[in-house]
Amino acid sequence: MHLMRKLVWSKLKSTLRKQRRDGKDGSGSLVNKSNVNEEYVEALRTKSYVEIYNKVQGQLELGQDHKLSSSSSSVQLNANLSKSLLEPCQEVLAEIPKSCQLHPLIVNYFDITSEACRICELLLQSVRKTRVNYRKIRKVIRLMKNMEPDSSHCYGIYRELASFASYKNPFSVVNRVQFLDTREGHDVLLQKLTSQFRRVKRRMKFLRSCKKVFGISIAIGYTGILIALLVLVLHSMVCIIAAPGLVFCSFKLLKKRFKVDKKAISSSSLEILIAQLDVAAKGVYILINDFDTMSRLVRRLYDETEHNISVADMCARKKNDDMLKEVIRDFSINKHCFMEQLKELEEHVCLCFLTINRSRRMVLQEMVSK
């Protein structure tokens, strides 16, 4: 088992180092550009986005083919999405050797991003379910075009509207309170990461100053020894008496040098930790912005879906032909806009997956760089 873990970790390190070299051209940077719209369009054209979007569609189509409508099937679909989209997955992180000594905040970062992916999965489920439910509206619009709206011919339309009104709003699975709680957790983690980053950086600066002081003191010490040796050459008579003292001084200087080397090792570890905290903080910051955007989109779609359900229910209960005409007219006008909103949310969720994975890989790359 131990050998297997070493092999998995070794393979992971080689893969991440290759990605690190490939990403030095700046294409994998998490830095925001000045024009957000251009960045958004550019992100949708990247190969990595296309790959993750295709994975999402493949999993959702697989779920549709198997008619995953029960709760147990939904759990299965979520598990498949998590396994195929989250990189590196939690199982891989569990194989990280204990020698890496992950900082608690980095562990918390991986847990929070994993939970964020779970919420993204729920949103993708909601988008898929909403599209399936909206087929009823499409069917109603199509039926309305092919028949006269009188009581004898509209029974099928009222039945479809009643069926649509019986559906639960798919976006109720992720409510505003849950988004606010998630946002609060992200804010707290970002503050902790930023605070720890500054604290470690101050410590790093202090160690560098100490290293310089020790270096100067060692240089002065060696200079003193050289001068003393020159004096001893000129005064060989006192060589035997002074030799023990010089040996003792040399030993002290070597001991100081050893301490400096140990501090240098500690300094190297701090540099790696600083890089990890920096990447994690940037990743959480972007995650906060992504969730703010998705929260607004979800709220808008939730309200729109609730409106459609209530209108369909009222129309199905009253069975008024004039009201039916007006309702179908509104559905026809708003159909394209509603579907575009669904597509926009789906794109943002996929982009969120992409940025989460990129950030997690970058943190892991900093871990294997030592």
Side-chain angles (χ1 to χ4, degrees), residues 105 108-109 112-113 116 178-196 280-292:
L105 288 179
N108 192 13
Y109 162 78
I112 276 187
T113 50
Q178 189 171 355
F179 265 111
L180 290 175
D181 291 342
T182 303
R183 169 63 187 269
E184 183 179 355
H186 293 170
D187 285 338
V188 170
L189 179 59
L190 179 60
Q191 291 175 4
K192 289 182 178 179
L193 286 169
T194 305
S195 176
Q196 185 67 21
K282 290 177 181 177
V284 174
Y285 177 78
I286 294 175
L287 187 61
I288 289 173
N289 292 334
D290 286 344
F291 264 67
D292 284 345

Side-chain angles (χ1 to χ4, degrees), residues 130-287:
T130 302
R131 284 197 177 112
V132 172
N133 293 351
Y134 208 78
R135 291 175 184 173
K136 294 286 185 182
I137 301 299
R138 291 176 178 272
K139 185 177 180 180
V140 165
I141 295 173
R142 188 170 62 252
L143 289 173
M144 196 67 179
K145 289 180 179 179
N146 298 331
M147 65 176 64
E148 290 295 327
D150 55 63
S151 300
S152 59
H153 293 88
C154 292
Y155 176 76
I157 295 178
Y158 289 126
R159 184 177 57 191
E160 294 296 334
L161 288 174
S163 177
F164 175 78
S166 66
Y167 293 144
K168 183 181 178 181
N169 192 330
F171 291 103
S172 61
V173 295
V174 183
N175 54 39
R176 181 174 176 80
V177 175
Q178 189 171 355
F179 265 111
L180 290 175
D181 291 342
T182 303
R183 169 63 187 269
E184 183 179 355
H186 293 170
D187 285 338
V188 170
L189 179 59
L190 179 60
Q191 291 175 4
K192 289 182 178 179
L193 286 169
T194 305
S195 176
Q196 185 67 21
F197 174 81
R198 292 171 180 169
R199 190 180 301 115
V200 175
K201 205 160 188 178
R202 285 195 298 267
R203 185 181 175 189
M204 180 73 183
K205 189 175 181 180
F206 173 75
L207 286 177
R208 284 177 176 172
S209 300
C210 290
K211 186 177 178 181
K212 289 181 180 179
V213 171
F214 278 122
I216 293 172
S217 64
I218 289 173
I220 294 173
Y222 279 133
T223 303
I225 290 176
L226 289 175
I227 294 173
L229 288 174
L230 290 174
V231 172
L232 287 176
V233 169
L234 298 175
H235 302 81
S236 57
M237 293 297 295
V238 295
C239 181
I240 297 175
I241 300 174
L246 289 173
V247 171
F248 179 75
C249 290
S250 299
F251 175 75
K252 283 290 185 180
L253 287 172
L254 288 174
K255 192 174 180 181
K256 281 187 176 182
R257 182 63 180 269
F258 178 71
K259 288 182 179 179
V260 171
D261 290 339
K262 287 184 69 177
K263 288 183 179 292
I265 295 173
S266 176
S267 176
S268 176
S269 300
L270 289 179
E271 286 179 353
I272 294 172
L273 178 58
I274 287 173
Q276 291 177 12
L277 293 172
D278 184 38
V279 173
K282 290 177 181 177
V284 174
Y285 177 78
I286 294 175
L287 187 61

Side-chain angles (χ1 to χ4, degrees), residues 18-142:
K18 183 177 183 299
Q19 292 176 350
R20 189 187 185 92
R21 290 193 299 269
D22 294 340
K24 285 185 178 180
D25 58 352
S27 60
S29 176
L30 291 176
V31 180
N32 290 329
K33 297 181 180 179
S34 57
N35 193 318
V36 178
N37 291 329
E38 288 182 5
E39 182 186 6
Y40 177 70
V41 174
E42 182 181 343
L44 297 181
R45 294 173 180 170
T46 59
K47 181 181 178 181
S48 53
Y49 172 81
V50 173
E51 288 176 352
I52 201 166
Y53 183 83
N54 290 337
K55 282 184 180 180
V56 168
Q57 296 304 316
Q59 289 292 334
L60 294 179
E61 288 175 6
L62 180 64
Q64 183 65 24
D65 292 340
H66 289 83
K67 298 181 179 180
L68 299 176
S69 56
S70 65
S71 59
S72 60
S73 298
S74 298
V75 171
Q76 180 183 355
L77 179 57
N78 278 341
N80 290 335
L81 277 171
S82 177
K83 185 176 181 180
S84 62
L85 296 180
L86 187 61
E87 298 176 4
C89 62
Q90 295 298 98
E91 289 77 8
V92 171
L93 296 176
E95 300 296 331
I96 295 177
K98 293 182 179 180
S99 59
C100 289
Q101 296 180 349
L102 284 180
H103 192 279
L105 288 179
I106 299 299
V107 175
N108 192 13
Y109 162 78
F110 281 121
D111 291 339
I112 276 187
T113 50
S114 178
E115 176 63 18
C117 285
R118 191 189 70 83
I119 295 177
C120 289
E121 292 165 7
L122 292 176
L123 293 179
L124 289 174
Q125 285 269 39
S126 299
V127 170
R128 181 188 69 88
K129 186 62 177 175
T130 302
R131 284 197 177 112
V132 172
N133 293 351
Y134 208 78
R135 291 175 184 173
K136 294 286 185 182
I137 301 299
R138 291 176 178 272
K139 185 177 180 180
V140 165
I141 295 173
R142 188 170 62 252

